[in-house]
Amino acid sequence: MQYVRQIVGFGPRYIGSPGHKKTEEFLRNHLKSDNLEEDAFSAATPAGNLQMRNFIAKFPGSKDGIIVIAGHYDTLYGRKDFVGANDGGSSTGLPVALADKLRSQKKRDGYSVWVVWLDGEEAIKQWTATDSVYGARHLAEKWKNDGTAAKIKGFLLLDMVGDSDLKIEHDQNSTPWLEDMVYKAASGLGYQSRFFGRNNAVSDDHEPFAKIGVPVADLIDFDYGYGNVFWHTPQDTLDKLSPKSLEIVADVTLETVRLIDERK
Ligand SMILES: [Zn+2]
């Protein structure tokens, strides 16, 4: 929650904004000892070519293979009235806290874990297949070509995970066996009532990776305020969030990582 607060304090974080730049500098500084890779690229968008950048922190493990934990750090494009505490803030800050945890464990007894901050999740004009998830589409293409995709055992996406009334969707665009594993992790930790109360087919950063054969699960609460009223509005502010919700998603994510490590 401290990280979410700090990142929201940078202001709106859409591509090209001062807050976006501050977030990049924060990630660069915070993750400098974590084999940090910066994946900078230029994306063709309805607003012309825009410079975007994904960040990848790598925590080595003893087993051959990679588990990815990802979130997006950009906020709604061009919106100066939107600080995105949940949509952008939670998906930036929680992976930072998970990276802290992974760093403290020294070498993992399990697969390597790569923590990824994706850019350009939000549409530049209006959400379509070609105007959305720019960072994810770029990275999926790169990982398909360089052979990384074939090594990924599971891709866990965190998005809108801070709502004090946490309800994670049973996402129909995720990989069924990995969704089952997330549910098993949640149930084992006593968080069953927070997970999979409804089925939903979510369009998000996981889809480009699913398309190239990577097992994916999107942990997203797409019911932010009654009827999702806070989503993409100036009401997406820190007071709607709870540290407990972030903790639940963090614990379930790490437990799912453990279950993937054990999977035959
Ligand atoms: Zn959004």
Side-chain angles (χ1 to χ4, degrees):
M1 190 70 196
Q2 294 289 3
Y3 287 134
V4 176
R5 196 181 303 280
Q6 188 175 354
I7 288 153
V8 169
F10 297 154
R13 301 173 302 287
Y14 57 86
I15 291 159
S17 68
H20 189 270
K21 187 153 270 161
K22 282 180 191 162
T23 308
E24 291 184 317
E25 279 158 14
F26 169 79
L27 292 173
R28 195 171 285 136
N29 268 317
H30 197 88
L31 304 161
K32 57 176 177 264
S33 64
D34 303 324
N35 302 305
L36 185 67
E37 180 187 337
E38 297 196 19
D39 172 36
F41 62 101
S42 171
T45 81
N49 283 335
L50 296 178
Q51 295 306 308
M52 304 189 190
R53 188 182 300 265
N54 300 316
F55 290 85
I56 306 150
K58 300 177 182 178
F59 300 92
S62 57
K63 285 176 80 172
D64 188 24
I66 301 158
I67 299 170
V68 178
I69 299 169
H72 76 90
Y73 73 95
D74 62 310
T75 55
L76 276 180
Y77 187 69
R79 284 275 297 272
K80 294 192 163 107
D81 63 344
F82 179 84
V83 295
N86 198 22
D87 192 0
S90 71
S91 54
T92 313
L94 189 53
V96 173
L98 291 172
D100 288 353
K101 180 97 180 172
L102 291 160
R103 189 182 308 117
S104 73
Q105 290 172 342
K106 303 263 161 54
K107 186 156 179 169
R108 298 196 72 244
D109 185 20
Y111 296 118
S112 295
V113 177
W114 290 8
V115 185
V116 177
W117 290 262
L118 294 163
D119 202 358
E121 187 264 352
E122 300 289 358
I124 300 304
K125 208 166 190 180
Q126 194 179 2
W127 187 284
T128 64
T130 53
D131 185 13
S132 64
V133 299
Y134 290 93
R137 284 189 285 130
H138 172 81
L139 192 58
E141 181 68 20
K142 178 174 148 155
W143 281 354
K144 185 178 80 172
N145 294 334
D146 71 8
T148 300
K151 295 183 196 157
I152 300 176
K153 306 297 175 182
F155 180 102
L156 304 170
L157 181 65
L158 313 180
D159 198 3
M160 298 176 73
V161 287
D163 185 359
S164 55
D165 178 24
L166 185 73
K167 294 187 291 278
I168 300 292
E169 312 281 348
H170 188 198
D171 175 37
Q172 309 300 296
N173 290 338
S174 291
T175 308
W177 72 256
L178 192 50
E179 285 283 283
D180 290 349
M181 200 170 265
V182 168
Y183 194 63
K184 185 181 174 191
S187 302
L189 293 168
Y191 300 135
Q192 190 175 359
S193 65
R194 306 288 199 153
F195 283 72
F196 296 7
R198 82 173 175 182
N199 292 336
N200 199 350
V202 183
S203 294
D204 207 344
D205 280 324
H206 59 319
E207 287 192 291
F209 298 94
K211 276 190 194 128
I212 59 165
V214 171
V216 299
D218 189 6
L219 279 69
I220 183 168
D221 175 352
F222 205 51
D223 188 21
Y224 183 31
Y226 55 89
N228 213 16
V229 287
F230 302 141
W231 177 62
H232 284 187
T233 75
Q235 282 77 51
D236 183 358
T237 46
L238 285 168
D239 54 295
K240 316 297 189 308
L241 272 49
S242 127
K244 183 67 191 172
S245 297
L246 295 167
E247 185 188 342
I248 290 169
V249 174
D251 288 349
V252 170
T253 300
L254 292 175
E255 177 63 5
T256 306
V257 166
R258 199 185 64 78
L259 292 172
I260 297 171
D261 279 335
E262 284 181 350
R263 187 170 185 256
K264 295 281 180 283

